[in-house]
Amino acid sequence: MSLKTVTQTEVVRTAAAPGRRGRRASGGWAKALRRDWQLYSLAVLPVAFLLLFKYVPMLGNVVAFRTYTPGGSMFGDEWVGFQYFEMVFSDAMFWRAFANTVIIGGLTLVIVFPLPIILALLLNEVRVRWFKRVVQTVSYLPHFMSIVIVASFVKELTSLDGTINAIVRAFGGDAVNFLQDPDWFRAIYVISEAWQTVGWGTILYLAALTTIDDQLYEAARIDGANRWQQTWHVTLPGIRPTMMVLLILNIGQFMAVGFEKILLLYNPLTTSTAEVLATYVYTIGITSGSPAYATAIGLFEAVIGLVLVFSANAISRKTTGSSLW
């Protein structure tokens, strides 16, 4: 066989290889589906839930560009372009809610996000197993409570006859009506958010800590590193991918701070510091009956969240090498 014939044969094989790989891949999927159809069937309901309640409602965003009348078309009646967005940018109440959202979201991110990391590092140093289990159980129990129950606890603790004011009176102070004072609302929200979420986040970091190789700690001890240096040079780099992924997810939720909790806790006296975009959309869309205007505000909030996620993901990928995609 000549060299030319061999070369042509290899070219034909190379050209046909992708087709064979494609058929093999499709056949592999079909074979896996037939073999494990019971497992794949478990994904039907979650996927249907996501499609029905997460993706299909996105079609309603077109109402932000059209007039809407109750009883009319669900996609609006007349195209008005960016009219509602012009109203949004000239609305003083919107900018107040936007500022409150940024402040509360920023405080939550800066204060609440590091707490599970700190608690996980502390629990990782505990050698008394029963004490470690008790602390874990007590810390993540509030995560499973309803927002209504959490809000009720907060109201009971901060009321004029509540536990906090009882302690204040015991030390000779005057009772403070915390939930009626705008200056106290943000602190109350952040503290209650930390109490409710710190334990659940700790579980994720404790799971990440178990993946760190013990030989790294042994090498650090041989080099003379103390416990703090081992934490800084071994533990934190080991859980950095988990930290960055959770940070990106938290940044994505930056503009959607606790709608349910804020709605249950705030009142007309605290709206100056408690009204956020989520509650403002609820007030405009449901209470005031302006769904098109509320949709425009919600779409603006969603776009900001999308930009934040993509930006945080790109920065994390370039600086640490960890990212969502």
Side-chain angles (χ1 to χ4, degrees):
M1 183 180 293
S2 65
L3 179 62
K4 181 178 180 181
T5 304
V6 172
T7 304
Q8 290 176 347
T9 303
E10 292 299 325
V11 169
V12 171
R13 289 177 179 176
T14 303
R20 289 198 299 269
R21 284 196 298 268
R23 289 193 297 273
R24 191 182 303 115
S26 61
W29 275 103
K31 183 178 179 181
L33 184 61
R34 288 194 301 270
R35 184 181 66 246
D36 302 321
W37 65 269
Q38 297 95 336
L39 295 177
Y40 286 104
S41 65
L42 297 177
V44 172
L45 288 179
V47 171
F49 176 84
L50 288 175
L51 291 175
L52 185 61
F53 294 101
K54 299 297 182 180
Y55 288 92
V56 173
M58 290 183 184
L59 299 175
N61 285 325
V62 72
V63 177
F65 305 96
R66 301 175 65 89
T67 58
Y68 177 83
T69 54
S73 172
M74 64 177 294
F75 298 110
D77 302 317
E78 180 183 355
W79 184 267
V80 294
F82 292 95
Q83 174 183 333
Y84 293 115
F85 291 94
E86 294 174 358
M87 294 171 58
V88 167
F89 296 137
S90 61
D91 185 357
M93 298 292 292
F94 164 79
W95 289 113
R96 187 184 71 177
F98 181 83
N100 290 334
T101 302
V102 173
I103 293 172
I104 294 177
L107 290 173
T108 303
L109 189 64
V110 171
I111 297 175
V112 178
F113 178 76
L115 293 180
I117 303 174
I118 297 172
L119 181 58
L121 294 176
L122 293 175
L123 289 176
N124 191 51
E125 299 297 325
V126 174
R127 295 295 176 261
V128 183
R129 301 184 64 124
W130 68 265
F131 179 75
K132 184 176 181 179
R133 288 196 296 266
V134 169
V135 172
Q136 283 186 265
T137 303
V138 172
S139 62
Y140 71 65
L141 185 61
H143 173 80
F144 299 99
M145 294 183 181
S146 168
I147 297 294
V148 177
I149 297 176
V150 172
S152 300
F153 281 166
V154 172
K155 288 182 178 180
E156 288 295 330
L157 289 172
T158 58
S159 64
L160 285 174
D161 298 327
T163 305
I164 296 177
N165 276 316
I167 297 174
V168 171
R169 291 193 189 96
F171 283 93
D174 296 327
V176 179
N177 199 344
F178 293 100
L179 288 180
Q180 305 296 326
D181 189 347
D183 296 333
W184 279 101
F185 184 85
R186 292 167 182 166
I188 292 172
Y189 175 83
V190 173
I191 293 172
S192 65
E193 189 71 10
W195 173 68
Q196 187 180 7
T197 60
V198 64
W200 183 254
T202 301
I203 295 176
L204 302 177
Y205 290 110
L206 286 174
L209 287 170
T210 60
T211 63
I212 300 177
D213 192 351
D214 290 336
Q215 294 181 359
L216 296 176
Y217 292 105
E218 184 178 353
R221 286 193 294 269
I222 293 174
D223 291 338
N226 55 33
R227 296 301 301 175
W228 167 251
Q229 292 171 331
Q230 292 176 40
T231 300
W232 184 259
H233 295 287
V234 178
T235 306
L236 289 178
I239 63 174
R240 184 171 59 188
T242 303
M243 291 168 54
M244 297 310 301
V245 169
L246 293 177
L247 178 61
I248 294 171
L249 294 176
N250 276 268
I251 291 175
Q253 297 293 323
F254 183 82
M255 300 300 294
V257 291
F259 163 71
E260 296 90 351
K261 187 182 294 183
I262 292 178
L263 185 66
L264 292 169
L265 291 178
Y266 87 140
N267 55 71
L269 296 176
T270 59
T271 52
S272 59
T273 58
E275 185 85 86
V276 295
L277 287 179
T279 57
Y280 188 58
V281 168
Y282 171 81
T283 302
I284 293 296
I286 304 299
T287 307
S288 301
S290 301
Y293 184 44
T295 303
I297 299 174
L299 183 58
F300 177 74
E301 176 188 346
V303 169
I304 293 178
L306 183 65
V307 171
L308 289 174
V309 168
F310 275 91
S311 301
N313 190 76
I315 294 173
S316 175
R317 185 171 58 248
K318 289 183 179 180
T319 56
T320 66
S322 302
S323 61
L324 287 176
W325 63 86

